[in-house]
Amino acid sequence: MNTQDLIKKFRKNGYKATSQRLAICKLILSRKDHPTADQIYQVLKEEYPTISLTTIYNTLRILVELGLIQELGFNEGSIRYDPDMELHINMVCSKCGKIDDYKAENIIQLWNTIISDLGFKPIGQRIDIYYECEECK
Amino acid sequence: MNTQDLIKKFRKNGYKATSQRLAICKLILSRKDHPTADQIYQVLKEEYPTISLTTIYNTLRILVELGLIQELGFNEGSIRYDPDMELHINMVCSKCGKIDDYKAENIIQLWNTIISDLGFKPIGQRIDIYYECEECK
DNA sequence: TATTGATTTGTAATCATTATTAAAATAGTT
DNA sequence: AACTATTTTAATAATGATTACAAATCAATA
């Protein structure tokens, strides 16, 4: 999603398209490592020295509401943000917490089987696999 | 798992079988609603008025280590504890946070297919489905 | 460009969890 | 049953992530 589309999306939903919001969007939508709010803050501080963590949190909440990203709560106590809204598996290293997305072949089949049994369409889903990554072994 | 087996399990792993630990175990292993540490604390305070949250957390950590329960971090900021270590789906209400376990019929087969593609045996997994429960609708 | 209301920011507050440490309880041994 | 070394508990303080608040700033519209 490019900047113009983002601006439109914000305005259509009654939100102002501030430079901070656009910067946060561009960052989170481009990253695949599921950063925390603080990690986003640390990066954006360089370009926007007065940006505050509150703004990061507020913007992330809006992006969740607009369906652009997904929140993933983990056991270490922090929430990570995932811009991949398609069906996928989060490969989570139990030691270092690193996360990679994994698009398995049969996952769509698995998913369709599950939801056809449910009888209704769920709002969303989350599939994690926990393992020990190469660096940690 | 009965009390005697629990005592054996603790001792075999170098942990003392204190009454607090046994009470926490019995409670968490019998509940299906994935309680938080504080919810467990609130219940056990009745029977053990001097029990502390620290003890709850310490014991839960041991139970995770012994493979008896699973930690599930959620977005509202709290960790919930799930005594069901078998493959199952957490049906999570996006509004009230209620969680029910759901054992779908064909999941295990499909899941095994996905796992075998990985080439290694994962430590664990987690499958959530988010929806709006009856009471919240 | 002026106005109005939303947004940002810095600070303080909150909540869950962890660290610390003296006192109490346990398991193994006499 | 008592002894003792060691672990565990429990109370408090500390930490870290997130949220609340209020004054200053900015975006959108006229």
Side-chain angles (χ1 to χ4, degrees):
Chain A
M1 183 172 281
N2 64 38
T3 306
Q4 285 312 310
D5 289 340
L6 272 177
I7 293 175
K8 277 184 205 157
K9 183 121 191 165
F10 274 128
R11 294 190 180 155
K12 186 182 298 177
N13 289 277
Y15 295 112
K16 293 184 176 174
T18 67
S19 57
Q20 292 94 328
R21 279 182 183 158
L22 293 173
I24 294 165
C25 279
K26 272 195 275 186
L27 184 64
I28 183 68
L29 293 178
S30 73
R31 282 180 60 156
K32 297 187 172 174
D33 61 341
H34 308 58
T36 64
D38 192 65
Q39 285 171 332
I40 295 168
Y41 174 62
Q42 296 303 331
V43 172
L44 289 179
K45 257 198 325 197
E46 304 298 321
E47 197 178 350
Y48 299 82
T50 68
I51 205 168
S52 76
L53 250 179
T54 308
T55 300
I56 311 282
Y57 278 110
N58 288 338
T59 302
L60 290 172
R61 191 183 309 125
I62 293 170
L63 296 183
V64 170
E65 182 198 324
L66 299 185
L68 293 174
I69 63 172
Q70 187 182 11
E71 278 182 313
L72 299 177
F74 282 96
N75 305 340
E76 343 110 37
S78 59
I79 294 174
R80 291 168 172 277
Y81 294 88
D82 185 353
D84 189 345
M85 299 298 281
E86 288 175 32
L87 186 60
H88 67 276
I89 297 175
N90 303 300
M91 299 293 302
V92 185
C93 174
S94 291
K95 284 221 171 149
C96 68
K98 183 167 77 81
I99 303 167
D100 286 311
D101 283 356
Y102 172 59
K103 309 240 177 182
E105 287 296 327
N106 309 305
I107 195 90
I108 293 176
Q109 197 192 342
L110 171 72
W111 186 245
N112 287 338
T113 308
I114 293 171
I115 60 172
S116 68
D117 289 347
L118 278 182
F120 60 86
K121 192 176 178 332
I123 299 171
Q125 75 288 325
R126 163 179 183 173
I127 305 177
D128 293 351
I129 286 181
Y130 303 101
Y131 75 117
E132 204 168 308
C133 76
E134 291 306 315
E135 290 91 59
C136 287
K137 263 196 303 206
Chain B
M1 183 171 282
N2 65 37
T3 307
Q4 284 311 312
D5 288 341
L6 273 177
I7 293 176
K8 276 185 206 156
K9 183 121 190 166
F10 274 127
R11 295 193 180 152
K12 187 183 296 176
N13 288 278
Y15 294 112
K16 294 185 175 175
T18 67
S19 57
Q20 292 93 329
R21 279 181 184 159
L22 293 173
I24 294 166
C25 279
K26 273 196 275 186
L27 184 65
I28 183 68
L29 293 178
S30 74
R31 283 182 59 158
K32 298 186 171 173
D33 61 340
H34 308 58
T36 64
D38 192 63
Q39 285 171 332
I40 295 168
Y41 174 62
Q42 297 303 331
V43 172
L44 289 180
K45 257 199 323 197
E46 304 297 321
E47 199 180 348
Y48 299 81
T50 68
I51 205 168
S52 77
L53 250 178
T54 308
T55 301
I56 311 284
Y57 277 110
N58 287 340
T59 302
L60 290 171
R61 192 183 308 125
I62 292 170
L63 295 183
V64 170
E65 182 197 324
L66 299 185
L68 293 175
I69 64 172
Q70 186 182 13
E71 279 182 315
L72 299 176
F74 281 97
N75 305 341
E76 342 108 37
S78 59
I79 294 175
R80 291 169 173 275
Y81 294 88
D82 186 353
D84 190 345
M85 299 297 283
E86 290 174 31
L87 184 63
H88 67 275
I89 297 172
N90 303 300
M91 299 293 302
V92 185
C93 174
S94 291
K95 285 221 169 146
C96 68
K98 182 168 76 84
I99 304 167
D100 287 310
D101 283 357
Y102 172 62
K103 307 238 179 183
E105 286 299 326
N106 310 307
I107 285 212
I108 294 180
Q109 255 181 303
L110 284 165
W111 188 252
N112 286 338
T113 313
I114 292 172
I115 297 303
S116 67
D117 287 348
L118 280 182
F120 58 87
K121 192 177 178 332
I123 299 170
Q125 73 284 321
R126 163 180 183 174
I127 305 179
D128 292 352
I129 285 182
Y130 303 100
Y131 76 117
E132 205 168 309
C133 74
E134 292 306 316
E135 291 89 60
C136 286
K137 266 198 301 206

